[in-house]
Amino acid sequence: MSSAVEPATVAGDSESAGPPVDPDYPVTPVPLHARKPFFSLAVVLLGFTIFTPTMLAGAALGTAFSFWKLMVVIAAGSAILGVYVAMMGFVGARTGLTTVVMARYSFGTRGSKLASILLGGTQIGWYGVIIGTIGDLTAQALGWDSYLARAAVMIAASILMCITACYGYRGMYWVSLVSTPLILALACWVVFRSLEEVGGFSGLVSVQPATTMTIALAITTVVGTFVSAGTQAPNWTRFARSGSQAVWACVIGFLLGNGLMILFGAIGAITFHEGDFVLILYNLGLVGWGLVLLFGNLWKSNADTAYAFGVAGAELFRKPRKTPFVIGGCVIGTALALTGVHNHLVDYLSLLGTFIPPLGGVIIADFLCRWRRGIPEDYIPRPVHWRNLAVYAVAAFLAWLSGEFEVGIPPLIGIVAAIALTMFLHRIFGDTSATREVSTSTV
């Protein structure tokens, strides 16, 4: 690539030689003519993070801290998350590549399969969790006890989300553009009602904590809400016209949007003893608006999830189209929901949140060390980049130890350790693979 802003091809992909089969370029760089304006990118990322289940994390914080301490925790956690995701987003914009394709250069063409399996598999699991949640909450709202009724809702919702994901970036943009303002308006209205419940802002500030939680665990909770999904920010920021646009779009989505959802959940827990605004609307007798909030919010978020495992599947099997993998992942995720696995899967998926951020840390550091001026068109990655894989393993282990012994913030420790180790080893040993990995022609 002669330019860091407009990559031309991904070396080693035969499908990049001709016109793109998929207009979303799942395994090749997004060319300059297909890049999107800043407003479009900000809408998509904000729509991705305005996610009602995030409120449940805020609910856990709301009852554990006084209001001003709560604000400090949310600000600190959101800042950590926002900086990390902004760095990932910058890499995506400069390379034009998804996270899993960029992993080919950091971990090797075979080593990158680890990223595809972790990221794609996790997203399929989350897809199933959300589909199951939609079925259960809809049945609760309408008083349905029948399993078949819940199953019908799950299948219908899954079909809608799958179709949106198959349309790619364009589909997610229009869904986010319509649903996000409505969801924010409903959320602000619930906050207004919440303040009425406690006697205004002064009443909210005066509420004393009912539970306890350490600051480190609270910040971990904030960071953990979207750090795994944030690792896949390049899936969308690769459509940015510049690195700075990608950074600001990530700040809007992951610092502002995610922070607001945590704050909303905390306020709901303080005033109504319920962090999920959907259930608050149900309890207020506004079942219709609760369903609007539920479907509008989870539709766009789960479409993003389906898109993520679609591009991961395209990389894993080295195919030029994401659609078959979007459909296949949606079928698997829906099957998980129909069997009730979503009631037991969240803890497992949260554990994966410890192991995914170090992947992003290695990719960020590898980009800063080797690819800031662009990836040459004649560069062919080796099958396995053992040094970076070893760094990932060490960083993931440190993050896991942090969680086990409740020392520090596991996602942050994993990210920082991965970045520091990658840069240190590069400085000591250099790019020892360069001469054997560069060919005189692309494949």
Side-chain angles (χ1 to χ4, degrees):
M1 299 173 196
S2 57
S3 168
V5 178
E6 185 184 3
T9 61
V10 175
D13 282 333
S14 58
E15 66 266 20
S16 65
V21 177
D22 189 316
D24 266 40
Y25 307 90
V27 292
T28 57
V30 178
L32 192 59
H33 70 81
R35 301 293 178 107
K36 309 295 183 181
F38 172 75
F39 176 78
S40 170
L41 192 65
V43 165
V44 169
L45 287 178
L46 187 61
F48 186 36
T49 56
I50 299 297
F51 184 51
T52 52
T54 302
M55 293 179 179
L56 299 179
L61 303 180
T63 58
F65 297 96
S66 64
F67 180 79
W68 293 115
K69 282 188 177 179
L70 173 68
M71 295 300 293
V72 170
V73 166
I74 293 175
S78 297
I80 293 170
L81 180 65
V83 169
Y84 167 66
V85 176
M87 293 173 72
M88 288 297 299
F90 180 81
V91 172
R94 292 296 298 272
T95 63
L97 301 172
T98 65
T99 303
V100 290
V101 174
M102 190 62 199
R104 294 181 186 177
Y105 296 92
S106 299
F107 299 105
T109 54
R110 293 179 183 173
S112 66
K113 304 309 177 189
L114 171 67
S116 297
I117 291 170
L118 271 178
L119 296 174
T122 303
Q123 294 303 297
I124 290 175
W126 274 121
Y127 185 90
V129 168
I130 299 308
I131 291 296
T133 300
I134 288 175
D136 287 349
L137 289 180
T138 302
Q140 178 180 340
L142 301 178
W144 293 344
D145 296 324
S146 167
Y147 169 78
L148 289 178
R150 293 199 306 273
V153 172
M154 293 180 196
I155 293 171
S158 183
I159 291 173
L160 184 65
M161 295 166 185
C162 182
I163 292 172
T164 303
C166 289
Y167 270 100
Y169 185 99
R170 181 179 59 175
M172 290 179 290
Y173 167 73
W174 284 108
V175 171
S176 296
L177 187 64
V178 173
S179 65
T180 300
L182 177 60
I183 291 164
L184 287 175
L186 281 171
C188 290
W189 182 82
V190 174
V191 168
F192 177 76
R193 286 295 305 269
S194 297
L195 292 176
E196 288 184 341
E197 286 287 314
V198 293
F201 181 73
S202 59
L204 179 67
V205 173
S206 66
V207 174
Q208 295 301 309
T211 60
T212 59
M213 181 184 295
T214 66
I215 294 290
L217 178 58
I219 294 175
T220 299
T221 301
V222 176
V223 175
T225 53
F226 253 91
V227 71
S228 296
T231 303
Q232 302 190 71
N235 293 351
W236 297 277
T237 62
R238 62 200 176 98
F239 288 94
R241 292 175 177 172
S242 68
S244 61
Q245 283 190 357
V247 167
W248 283 110
C250 288
V251 167
I252 290 172
F254 286 84
L255 194 155
L256 178 62
N258 193 63
L260 276 176
M261 297 309 285
I262 292 173
L263 177 61
F264 289 160
I267 291 174
I270 291 170
T271 55
F272 288 105
H273 308 290
E274 173 59 66
D276 190 333
F277 276 20
V278 174
L279 296 180
I280 291 176
L281 288 169
Y282 287 179
N283 294 335
L284 291 173
L286 302 173
V287 174
W289 283 114
L291 288 175
V292 168
L293 180 62
L294 174 69
F295 277 93
N297 181 260
L298 298 185
W299 175 11
K300 61 184 176 53
S301 296
N302 231 24
D304 290 338
T305 300
Y307 181 88
F309 60 66
V311 297
E315 193 287 326
L316 181 63
F317 294 98
R318 300 183 69 85
K319 299 296 183 181
R321 293 179 61 87
K322 68 181 183 301
T323 301
F325 303 101
V326 169
I327 296 172
C330 289
V331 170
I332 296 171
T334 305
L336 289 173
L338 290 172
T339 56
V341 176
H342 63 282
N343 294 319
H344 311 283
L345 200 59
V346 174
D347 290 339
Y348 164 71
L349 294 171
S350 298
L351 181 64
L352 286 183
T354 300
F355 296 101
I356 288 176
L359 280 172
V362 173
I363 291 173
I364 289 169
D366 193 59
F367 171 82
L368 294 175
C369 290
R370 299 200 291 164
W371 311 123
R372 281 179 296 177
R373 296 182 179 179
I375 303 173
E377 290 186 23
D378 56 2
Y379 185 91
I380 301 176
R382 63 165 56 176
V384 180
H385 199 300
W386 291 109
R387 191 172 74 194
N388 282 350
L389 280 173
V391 168
Y392 164 74
V394 171
F397 179 68
L398 291 175
W400 177 79
L401 281 180
S402 170
E404 285 294 301
F405 292 99
E406 298 183 356
V407 176
I409 304 167
L412 179 61
I413 287 175
I415 294 166
V416 172
I419 292 175
L421 284 172
T422 301
M423 289 186 158
F424 174 75
L425 292 177
H426 182 82
R427 178 178 291 272
I428 296 298
F429 299 105
D431 187 7
T432 57
S433 62
T435 57
R436 88 177 73 172
E437 289 183 303
V438 175
S439 170
T440 57
S441 64
T442 57
V443 177

